[in-house]
C-alpha cells in the first residue's frame, strides 16, 4: 500500500497581556511571559500601532500612550504562519491641582488654603494632602491655616485612577508689631 506522510506545524500561541488602565504620562509594558510561543523554530513580533512604543518588534515593548489605544501584536514563525492578539491601554486624563496664590500675612492671621475648587481634570474622587517638609497638616481640600512662621506648604492630590498632581503655596508671616503708647496726659484749655 501507499503511505502518505503529513507534517503538521506546531500552533502559535500569543498573549498581548491584560487590558489595563494607566494615568496620563505613565508607561506600561505590553505582552506577557511569554508573549508568543510555539510555531516552527524562531518567532517574530510586530506591534501596531507603533506610535508611543519603545519598539514594534520585541516581545514586550514599553508603551507611553497619550490617549486610550488598542495595540495588536502579530506573532509569525519562519514559515509565515501567524496569530494575533490585542491589548487595550486605557489612558486616564491628566489633571492639575492649584494650591492657590502665595500669601503674606501678619502673625496670628488666618490663611484659607485651597479656597474653592483646586482640581482640574483627572478622575474623581480625589484625596488631598497638605503638608510641609516636617508634617502632614491636613487631608482636606480646603483648610483654615494659622501659621506662626513663614512656611511653604505642598498640596498633593491623588485621583481614583491613582494619578497625582502637586503644587506649592508660600506663606510669608510678618511678626506682630509691638506698639507702646505712653501714659495719658490731660490738658486743660482756658
Amino acid at each position: 500500500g501507499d503511505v502518505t506522510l503529513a507534517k503538521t506545524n506546531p500552533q502559535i500561541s500569543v498573549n498581548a497581556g491584560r487590558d489595563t488602565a494607566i494615568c496620563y504620562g505613565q508607561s506600561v509594558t505590553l505582552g506577557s511571559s511569554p508573549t508568543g510561543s510555539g510555531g516552527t523554530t524562531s518567532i517574530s513580533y510586530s506591534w501596531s500601532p507603533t506610535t508611543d512604543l519603545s519598539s514594534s518588534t520585541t516581545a514586550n515593548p514599553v508603551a507611553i500612550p497619550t490617549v486610550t489605544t488598542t495595540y495588536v501584536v502579530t506573532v509569525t514563525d519562519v514559515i509565515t504562519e501567524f496569530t494575533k492578539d490585542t491589548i487595550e491601554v486605557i489612558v486616564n486624563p491628566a489633571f492639575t491641582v492649584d494650591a492657590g496664590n502665595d500669601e503674606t500675612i501678619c502673625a496670628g492671621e488666618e490663611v484659607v488654603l485651597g479656597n474653592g475648587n483646586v482640581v482640574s481634570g483627572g478622575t474623581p474622587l480625589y484625596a488631598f494632602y497638605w503638608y510641609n517638609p516636617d508634617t502632614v497638616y491636613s487631608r482636606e481640600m480646603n483648610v483654615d491655616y494659622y501659621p506662626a512662621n513663614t512656611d511653604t506648604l505642598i498640596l498633593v492630590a491623588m485621583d481614583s485612577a491613582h494619578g497625582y498632581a502637586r503644587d506649592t503655596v508660600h506663606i510669608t508671616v510678618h511678626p506682630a508689631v509691638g506698639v507702646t503708647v505712653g501714659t495719658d496726659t490731660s490738658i486743660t484749655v482756658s
Side-chain angles (χ1 to χ4, degrees):
D2 292 334
V3 176
T4 303
L5 295 175
K7 182 178 179 194
T8 57
N9 294 319
Q11 183 176 354
I12 299 172
S13 64
V14 61
N15 184 350
R18 291 211 263 162
D19 293 348
T20 190
I22 62 172
C23 293
Y24 183 88
Q26 291 182 327
S27 65
V28 62
T29 300
L30 305 180
S32 190
S33 181
T35 298
S37 62
T40 55
T41 62
S42 64
I43 54 178
S44 62
Y45 301 92
S46 176
W47 289 89
S48 66
T50 59
T51 308
D52 303 319
L53 288 181
S54 61
S55 170
S56 63
T57 59
T58 61
N60 302 102
V62 174
I64 309 174
T66 56
V67 296
T68 296
T69 305
T70 299
Y71 292 98
V72 179
V73 61
T74 303
V75 178
T76 307
D77 68 9
V78 294
I79 61 170
T80 65
E81 292 192 20
F82 65 92
T83 304
K84 295 182 179 191
D85 194 22
T86 62
I87 179 174
E88 182 180 36
V89 179
I90 298 165
V91 179
N92 291 308
F95 74 102
T96 59
V97 64
D98 183 5
N101 296 325
D102 292 348
E103 299 274 346
T104 300
I105 62 171
C106 292
E109 290 183 340
E110 166 192 35
V111 173
V112 178
L113 301 173
N115 197 11
N117 188 6
V118 299
V119 175
S120 175
T123 306
L125 301 166
Y126 304 98
F128 298 95
Y129 302 92
W130 287 97
Y131 69 95
N132 63 22
D134 298 324
T135 60
V136 171
Y137 178 72
S138 176
R139 289 186 166 92
E140 301 296 323
M141 180 173 69
N142 298 303
V143 178
D144 297 333
Y145 185 53
Y146 297 89
N149 300 302
T150 296
D151 201 0
T152 298
L153 290 173
I154 302 164
L155 171 60
V156 174
M158 184 183 303
D159 72 358
S160 60
H162 303 289
Y164 70 93
R166 67 177 252 154
D167 192 23
T168 59
V169 62
H170 185 75
I171 302 161
T172 302
V173 178
H174 292 294
V177 177
V179 177
T180 305
V181 178
T183 57
D184 291 343
T185 304
S186 27
I187 299 174
T188 307
V189 178
S190 14

